[in-house]
């Protein structure tokens, strides 16, 4: 009861009933390693923050959005033209979704470069990759919801790729589309995925991810661990609260400023209403994070030897993804030996590939 | 007044944070307020062709965005009222057997002049003027 002294009675009352002590002592013991790469630790938090913005703005958009082929476009048009600040809320939702995926990618690559995936954090890595996959699912399903020409045809192309998967392809494509072709049924389905299925899965996986991050604490890169061992003194670190917490808050504030600026200066366009019976216009492309595979598939000839080009491309991406997801299991040598150096090399190549092919896909 | 530099700093910080929160909440609150949709007030509608209506029968027709009740009493005798019950906004119907207008929600009855006969409705139904132009039945608001 000593801690209750000198506080307003209501605070004391709440503290006692909400078990603040336990939280306080947990937070008081949490520490964050301090070294030259500490700044990369902020990106996981930024991703989480942007996810929070997505939830809030998404709920707001639900007040006016109508998920049917006849009304979807008109309802978004209504939001951006008639509802006060509607253009801003919608623009923030689109921009924040994109920035969230960017932040997640930065977070993922920093985990690779700082080797934070090492034992015992393999499952933390897997849950993180899973969350990234869900974020991409959010992006893919959300892209269709305004029901405009670009998103309509991009969804046709995207679900067509799913159809090329061996064996389960056709079933998968039918499941995604809710029929044989992209149409009103697809829209309703994607809406369900976007506002119910994916949020539910994300909440679960996010809790696992955060729980694991809390239980194992924040990892230091091997290089820093070695330096600390060599110097013999205590490892430099800072308390999570308030030092790291306030810094993270500042990072969120900065992210918010960038987001607000982008959303206000470059309001997200609505485009033209999708017409399933009109020919596809030029310039159909998916969201930027799907551009690299999209462009790669464009480059592969339709037939390579006896295989179909599309199938070959998918197979390549499948292998690449599997290799990347299982990374902690084959790059887990502690010595920082050859395999880790190989990993750093390939991660750099991967970033270069993603950057160039996304740029090519965007400009060509 | 803040006495120290630290006091000033935390005052500025607190003020800044409060201002930003207000700046987020204001658009959100405005967004949630449903925009006023300028509903063009309709003063006249065509209910359909004379042949479509039977004698001693009624039909609900659209009058702008609300329902209207059109009753054909005889070959050249028509009555029309707002279909919205004055009690709690249910849509009324014509009862051929009693030759009255009935609201099923709380058993309200109106006569064929729109006056309340029994039940909870507090006011008579708004009556519309019916005119036959050629073979078209036209309803219009009075006054
Ligand atoms: S609403 Fe018509 S009687 Fe109550």
């Amino acid at each position: 009861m000593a801690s209750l002294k000198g506080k307003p009675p209501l605070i004391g009352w709440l503290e006692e009933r909400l078990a603040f002590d336990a939280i306080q002592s947990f937070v008081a013991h949490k520490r964050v390693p301090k070294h030259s790469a500490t700044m990369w630790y902020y990106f996981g938090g930024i991703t989480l923050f942007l996810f929070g913005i997505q939830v809030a703005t998404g709920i707001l958009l639900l007040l006016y959005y109508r998920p049917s082929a006849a009304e979807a476009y008109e309802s978004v048009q209504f939001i951006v033209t008639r509802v006060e600040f509607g253009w801003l809320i919608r623009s923030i939702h689109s921009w924040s979704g994109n920035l969230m995926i960017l932040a997640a990618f930065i977070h993922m690559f920093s985990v690779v470069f700082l080797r934070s995936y090492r034992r015992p954090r393999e499952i933390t890595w897997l849950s993180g990759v899973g969350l990234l996959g869900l974020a991409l699912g959010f992006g893919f399903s959300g892209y269709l919801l305004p029901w405009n020409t670009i998103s309509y045809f991009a969804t046709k192309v995207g679900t067509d790729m799913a159809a090329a998967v061996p064996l389960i392809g056709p079933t998968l494509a039918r499941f995604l589309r809710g029929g044989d072709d992209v149409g009103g049924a697809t829209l309703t389905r994607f809406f369900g995925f976007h506002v119910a299925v994916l949020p539910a899965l994300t909440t679960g996986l996010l809790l696992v991810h955060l729980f694991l991050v809390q239980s194992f604490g924040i990892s230091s890169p091997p290089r820093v661990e070695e330096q600390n061992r060599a110097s013999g003194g205590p490892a430099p670190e800072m308390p999570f609260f308030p030092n790291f917490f306030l810094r993270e808050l500042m990072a969120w504030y900065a992210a918010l400023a960038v987001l607000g600026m982008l959303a206000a200066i470059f309001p997200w366009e609505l485009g033209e209403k999708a017409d399933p019976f009109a020919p596809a216009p030029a310039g159909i492309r998916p969201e930027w994070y799907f551009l690299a595979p999209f462009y790669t598939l464009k480059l592969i000839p339709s037939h390579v030897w006896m295989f179909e080009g599309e199938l070959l491309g998918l197979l390549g991406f499948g292998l690449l993804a599997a290799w990347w997801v299982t990374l902690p299991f084959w790059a887990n040598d502690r010595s920082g030996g050859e395999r880790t150096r190989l990993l750093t090399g390939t991660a750099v190549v991967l970033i270069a590939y993603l950057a160039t092919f996304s740029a090519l896909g965007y400009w060509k | 007044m803040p006495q120290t530099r630290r006091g000033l700093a935390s005052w500025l910080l607190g003020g800044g944070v409060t201002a930003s929160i207000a700046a987020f909440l204001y658009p959100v609150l405005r967004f949630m307020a449903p925009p006023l949709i300028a509903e063009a007030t309709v003063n006249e509608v065509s209910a359909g062709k004379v042949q479509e209506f039977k004698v001693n029968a009624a039909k609900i027709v659209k009058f702008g965005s609300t329902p209207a009740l059109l009753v054909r009493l005889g070959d050249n005798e028509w009555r029309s009222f707002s279909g919205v019950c004055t009690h709690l906004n249910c849509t009324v119907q014509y009862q051929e057997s009693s030759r009255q207008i009935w609201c099923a929600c709380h058993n309200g009855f109106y006569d064929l002049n729109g006056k309340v006969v029994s039940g909870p409705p507090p006011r008579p139904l708004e009556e519309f003027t019916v005119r036959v132009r050629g073979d078209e039945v036209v309803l219009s608001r009075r006054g």
Side-chain angles (χ1 to χ4, degrees):
Chain A
M1 290 303 271
S3 70
L4 301 186
K5 259 189 215 145
K7 284 188 184 150
L10 178 66
I11 304 278
W13 190 88
L14 282 174
E15 264 185 3
E16 201 182 349
R17 277 150 193 88
L18 292 174
F20 269 10
D21 284 1
I23 303 171
Q24 250 168 7
S25 72
F26 171 76
V27 169
H29 289 113
K30 194 171 156 56
R31 302 204 161 253
V32 178
K34 212 161 133 186
H35 49 77
S36 58
T38 300
M39 67 166 283
W40 299 107
Y41 292 151
Y42 296 113
F43 281 91
I46 291 177
T47 314
L48 181 66
F49 171 64
L50 292 171
F51 179 69
I53 296 220
Q54 287 307 86
V55 173
T57 51
I59 291 173
L60 286 175
L61 291 173
L62 275 179
L63 296 182
Y64 298 106
Y65 179 74
R66 296 177 184 188
S68 78
E71 292 180 306
Y73 181 85
E74 283 77 3
S75 67
V76 179
Q77 201 171 40
F78 180 79
I79 291 173
V80 297
T81 56
R82 306 292 291 276
V83 181
E84 276 190 82
F85 294 103
W87 64 275
L88 184 65
I89 302 287
R90 191 224 165 199
S91 192
I92 287 184
H93 193 70
S94 305
W95 273 108
S96 162
N98 280 281
L99 291 181
M100 178 180 89
I101 287 181
L102 184 67
F105 269 110
I106 296 176
H107 178 51
M108 179 178 75
F109 278 106
S110 67
V111 162
V112 171
F113 288 127
L114 299 179
R115 317 236 174 283
S116 312
Y117 52 81
R118 288 167 306 149
R119 204 178 93 180
R121 297 188 175 82
E122 292 95 335
I123 296 185
T124 319
W125 164 266
L126 289 181
S127 62
V129 177
L131 283 169
L132 180 64
L134 289 172
L136 295 178
F138 269 115
F140 186 63
S141 56
Y143 199 47
L144 180 67
L145 299 187
W147 199 245
N148 56 28
T149 314
I150 305 269
S151 68
Y152 173 77
F153 284 104
T155 306
K156 261 176 126 66
V157 174
T159 50
D160 225 46
M161 275 180 202
V165 174
L167 296 176
I168 56 159
T171 322
L172 182 66
R174 257 188 73 82
F175 169 74
L176 285 175
R177 290 175 181 158
D180 288 323
D181 215 337
V182 176
T186 321
L187 180 64
T188 311
R189 209 158 256 246
F190 274 35
F191 176 72
F193 293 153
H194 194 79
V195 308
V197 179
L198 292 171
L201 294 176
T202 305
T203 308
L205 204 53
L206 190 59
L207 288 177
V208 171
H209 193 68
L210 292 177
F211 172 75
L212 291 175
V213 171
Q214 294 316 314
S215 348
F216 293 127
I218 291 169
S219 114
S220 296
R223 169 175 59 82
V224 173
E225 275 176 2
E226 235 157 77
Q227 278 168 13
N228 292 341
R229 226 170 294 134
S231 70
E237 52 183 17
M238 62 171 126
F240 174 80
F241 195 89
N243 302 36
F244 188 81
F245 181 76
L246 287 178
R247 284 179 170 85
E248 179 78 62
L249 227 51
M250 281 298 121
W252 290 8
Y253 223 43
L256 194 67
V258 172
L259 175 64
M261 200 178 68
L262 287 171
I265 300 178
F266 307 104
W268 208 265
E269 278 176 33
L270 178 54
E272 263 165 48
K273 184 173 176 171
D275 178 358
F277 296 102
I284 291 300
R285 56 160 177 258
E287 291 269 60
W288 60 271
Y289 38 85
F290 293 124
L291 277 175
F294 176 75
Y295 188 67
T296 313
L297 285 176
K298 253 188 177 174
L299 287 187
I300 299 176
S302 70
H303 281 89
V304 183
W305 192 39
M306 51 182 286
F307 299 106
E308 241 180 83
E310 211 180 22
L311 187 64
L312 218 61
L314 282 180
L315 201 71
F317 288 124
L319 286 177
L320 186 69
W323 174 79
W324 187 253
V325 169
T326 54
L327 171 161
F329 301 100
W330 54 263
N332 209 358
D333 52 344
R334 312 253 205 110
S335 50
E338 237 164 73
R339 267 195 271 171
T340 29
R341 251 175 280 139
L342 177 78
L343 175 63
T344 308
T346 31
V348 171
V349 172
L350 193 61
I351 292 178
Y353 158 75
L354 289 176
T356 27
F357 273 62
S358 303
L360 286 173
Y362 189 82
W363 297 115
K364 287 225 167 173
Chain B
M1 272 308 277
Q3 297 295 307
T4 58
R5 231 187 265 198
R6 181 173 275 270
L8 180 68
S10 63
W11 190 80
L12 282 176
L13 193 65
V17 169
T18 314
S20 338
I21 291 175
F24 308 143
L25 286 185
Y26 178 70
V28 168
L29 289 176
R30 300 301 309 161
F31 180 90
M32 290 198 284
L36 303 169
I37 306 164
E39 195 114 41
T41 39
V42 180
N43 285 316
E44 195 175 276
V45 292
S46 155
K49 302 252 185 298
V50 173
Q51 309 84 272
E52 290 168 26
F53 300 93
K54 280 186 283 172
V55 174
N56 192 28
K59 222 172 148 182
I60 297 279
V61 295
K62 271 184 80 171
F63 197 99
S65 59
T66 55
L69 185 75
L70 175 61
V71 196
R72 186 174 191 182
L73 293 173
D75 279 344
N76 287 314
E77 209 191 341
W78 304 80
R79 288 285 155 76
S80 179
F81 303 93
S82 152
V84 185
C85 178
T86 54
H87 179 222
L88 292 170
N89 289 340
C90 283
T91 301
V92 297
Q93 55 186 286
Y94 177 64
Q95 212 174 48
E96 287 159 29
S97 55
S98 67
R99 295 191 137 233
Q100 282 183 336
I101 297 165
W102 177 49
C103 177
C105 287
H106 311 94
N107 215 22
F109 279 95
Y110 303 86
D111 68 14
L112 286 173
N113 292 311
K115 298 233 168 57
V116 182
V117 176
S118 63
R123 268 168 288 115
L125 291 172
E126 182 188 353
E127 187 165 1
F128 298 140
T129 307
V130 187
R131 250 166 300 183
V132 179
R133 275 192 215 138
D135 63 347
E136 205 170 70
V137 189
V138 178
L139 312 184
S140 55
R141 216 180 273 280
R142 289 187 172 176

